[in-house]
Amino acid sequence: MQPRISPPSRAVASILRCKRPLKFRRQYATIVPTASHDQITQSSSPIARFPKNQPPSFKPPEFRKSQLLRQYASLLRSTPLMLIFQHNNLKSNEWAAIRRELNNALRKVDKSRIAAGQTEGNIGEGVKIQIIQTNIFASALKIVEFYKPESESSALDPTNPATRSSADLPHFKLDGSNLTHTLSVTAHEATNKKKHPLVPLLCGPLAMLTFPSVSPQHLKTALSILSPVPKVFPAPTRKANPGYHDLPVQLGIRKLLLLGARVEGQVFDVDETKWIGGIEGGLDGLRGQLVAMLQGIGGGLTNTLESPGKSLYFTVEGRRMMLEDEGKPSEEAPVETSS
Amino acid sequence: MITTFLTEVRTSFNPFRTTGNAARIFLSFLPPNARQTMKVTTKLLPRVSKDPSIVELKFKDGKEMKLDPEKLGIKGIIEEVDRHSRILGRAEELNGN
């Protein structure tokens, strides 16, 4: 028996398989001119085809990877000071104990700063230690460092009734090839071949300690908790802070290894990081040092500038004295010659 | 990796070079209680230093091992440690422990 639905002939099947529109398409004669398919799909209408906070993405946005990349990029853009630690098999109770001690110590620093009259927000509240995915972090780092899109998309909002219906909204292609956000194709292509000095560090189990602003005081406290060095960053004594000498804290700290830091976009190794933490009196202390140094230079400069004037004055004064001294004999001298 | 027969681990590496990665990953392979059962010392080289990274091990039977992580890689290091550890494990088993 013949099948009721006959299979499509070879010619029809080839047309169905063909994805590109055929060049010579048979068209029916129509009286009403209609907009072509291209005009409908690609005209620039003031209707956005996607929510403003959800532009089409190069990497699938529903994956955890993509969201981590966005999270790391925003973290890197917002934090000027971050320390990189290697954590070698810390247990969860050790992490909890270390976080507790770190928070307590930073809160103490905040209190002392407020007592001293410095109210630059609570920096200690924003200090977080978190474990990172190294490869995604490296990618985010490269995007933050090397990818600077030239212009932000225009601020026209299609949902705003004040926007004219004829306004030319930025037109995004459906493949997202002209987008400039972190997950876009352009960001990927601009950065995936670049090399960053911090990238070799991003290997193995890593944790980040991030600060919301560069504060050597907080850095010093954090270093004295997480990687204490006798005399430079002494760990709190058993009397001052008995909680720090609990077993989980001590075991955990021995397994944390400070590798480096990123400060204001610059890469620092361990010794340089310790130098930053060792700045006396924090940023204000550094400013004080700078002012003192500049004053010293200024004093020297005024001395230098004054000295020719002074020496001229002394020379002229000396000459005047000499002339005055010579004047008396010279008055006498003509008398002598005349007589 | 069999770490029960290790008594001392000494490593030194420069984290800013990829040659130090094998030594760093070796450290992360040590178990959580490693610092109580063995002596672990780590030396971080400064960023500009080009000294080779080092992994030095001591076993319970007193054997000392000097491994070159740049040449062996992490897989090679694990292989070397496991090879000697298996010998020690077998000897222990035969002694009836």
Side-chain angles (χ1 to χ4, degrees):
Chain A
M1 203 179 106
Q2 281 269 320
R4 268 187 209 158
I5 303 165
S6 58
S9 70
R10 197 175 290 169
V12 174
S14 74
I15 291 168
L16 286 176
R17 241 182 282 129
C18 182
K19 280 179 185 169
R20 267 179 286 168
L22 288 175
K23 258 190 177 175
F24 305 105
R25 202 185 295 159
R26 237 181 290 163
Q27 288 184 337
Y28 294 102
T30 47
I31 300 162
V32 183
T34 51
S36 71
H37 183 256
D38 286 355
Q39 260 179 325
I40 292 169
T41 52
Q42 302 210 348
S43 64
S44 58
S45 64
I47 303 160
R49 286 168 216 290
F50 44 82
K52 204 182 177 190
N53 53 355
Q54 226 175 38
S57 162
F58 174 50
K59 289 157 188 168
E62 64 273 17
F63 285 178
R64 184 165 180 265
K65 272 168 132 182
S66 314
Q67 295 307 328
L68 273 179
L69 180 65
R70 290 181 62 197
Q71 190 192 326
Y72 290 155
S74 102
L75 180 74
L76 281 164
R77 287 193 183 107
S78 62
T79 178
L81 170 58
M82 60 164 51
L83 302 184
I84 302 166
F85 288 92
Q86 175 168 341
H87 59 96
N88 299 318
N89 285 323
L90 267 81
K91 288 178 179 172
S92 65
N93 65 336
E94 291 162 359
W95 271 123
I98 286 175
R99 287 202 170 104
R100 183 194 69 215
E101 287 308 313
L102 189 65
N103 278 343
N104 286 348
L106 290 172
R107 211 162 291 158
K108 258 182 209 165
V109 176
D110 271 351
K111 268 183 195 165
S112 70
R113 275 167 71 99
I114 288 167
Q118 294 170 321
T119 49
E120 290 176 23
N122 282 343
I123 297 171
E125 298 279 314
V127 178
K128 292 254 150 53
I129 188 160
Q130 61 171 340
I131 292 168
I132 55 157
Q133 301 266 327
T134 47
N135 283 336
I136 301 174
F137 191 85
S139 171
L141 182 71
K142 284 196 276 187
I143 285 172
V144 169
E145 291 282 320
F146 300 123
Y147 179 58
K148 307 270 190 284
E150 285 145 22
S151 61
E152 291 295 307
S153 57
S154 70
L156 279 175
D157 186 6
T159 55
N160 188 356
T163 310
R164 285 176 292 114
S165 63
S166 59
D168 207 16
L169 281 179
H171 185 75
F172 296 118
K173 291 174 195 159
L174 282 176
D175 60 348
S177 55
N178 57 351
L179 286 166
T180 53
H181 59 89
T182 306
L183 292 178
S184 62
V185 184
T186 37
H188 173 77
E189 278 169 2
T191 56
N192 68 340
K193 295 273 165 62
K194 295 275 177 67
K195 279 190 179 147
H196 191 269
L198 205 59
V199 168
L201 209 76
L202 299 172
C203 164
L206 288 190
M208 282 292 143
L209 180 71
T210 51
F211 293 77
S213 72
V214 182
S215 152
Q217 258 174 314
H218 287 88
L219 179 63
K220 188 179 180 183
T221 316
L223 282 176
S224 68
I225 296 284
L226 295 174
S227 68
V229 180
K231 284 181 186 170
V232 193
F233 300 111
T237 53
R238 197 178 284 274
K239 222 176 206 178
N241 190 355
Y244 181 78
H245 293 273
D246 280 356
L247 191 63
V249 182
Q250 287 303 312
L251 291 182
I253 279 161
R254 281 159 75 191
K255 287 187 267 185
L256 275 182
L257 186 64
L258 178 64
L259 292 180
R262 176 179 180 269
V263 186
E264 307 270 8
Q266 306 269 324
V267 178
F268 285 77
D269 70 0
V270 178
D271 295 337
E272 290 163 339
T273 312
K274 284 182 176 159
W275 170 76
I276 294 174
I279 293 170
E280 284 299 321
L283 214 56
D284 292 331
L286 201 64
R287 278 190 204 120
Q289 277 179 29
L290 188 67
V291 167
M293 206 169 75
L294 288 176
Q295 272 175 349
I297 292 171
L301 194 66
T302 43
N303 274 343
T304 321
L305 288 175
E306 263 176 15
S307 61
K310 263 184 192 166
S311 63
L312 189 68
Y313 169 76
F314 283 128
T315 321
V316 172
E317 195 65 16
R319 183 70 189 151
R320 198 172 68 83
M321 296 290 278
M322 252 171 70
L323 281 177
E324 273 178 8
D325 288 347
E326 276 175 11
K328 285 166 195 170
S330 67
E331 277 169 12
E332 288 161 11
V335 174
E336 277 172 19
T337 48
S338 64
S339 61
Chain B
M1 191 166 72
I2 307 166
T3 52
T4 42
F5 301 104
L6 287 173
T7 54
E8 196 179 331
V9 176
R10 281 198 328 122
T11 54
S12 134
F13 56 86
N14 179 1
F16 284 90
R17 300 181 71 213
T18 44
T19 50
N21 284 357
R24 274 171 59 193
I25 294 171
F26 176 76
L27 281 180
S28 75
F29 268 96
L30 298 176
N33 62 347
R35 269 76 182 170
Q36 286 124 290
T37 56
M38 61 184 90
K39 205 179 151 203
V40 181
T41 46
T42 313
K43 194 187 162 204
L44 284 175
L45 301 172
R47 196 176 157 193
V48 286
S49 117
K50 296 207 168 163
D51 296 348
S53 45
I54 301 167
V55 173
E56 287 177 3
L57 307 169
K58 265 187 200 167
F59 287 86
K60 268 186 185 161
D61 64 339
K63 183 183 165 76
E64 288 184 28
M65 227 182 230
K66 259 193 184 180
L67 300 170
D68 180 12
E70 294 174 23
K71 220 163 87 186
L72 289 171
I74 182 63
K75 279 188 181 171
I77 295 176
I78 289 176
E79 214 167 274
E80 293 290 322
V81 174
D82 277 359
R83 179 181 296 153
H84 193 69
S85 296
R86 275 197 299 268
I87 294 171
L88 293 181
R90 203 172 301 136
E92 213 169 60
E93 223 167 69
L94 286 174
N95 288 337
N97 290 324

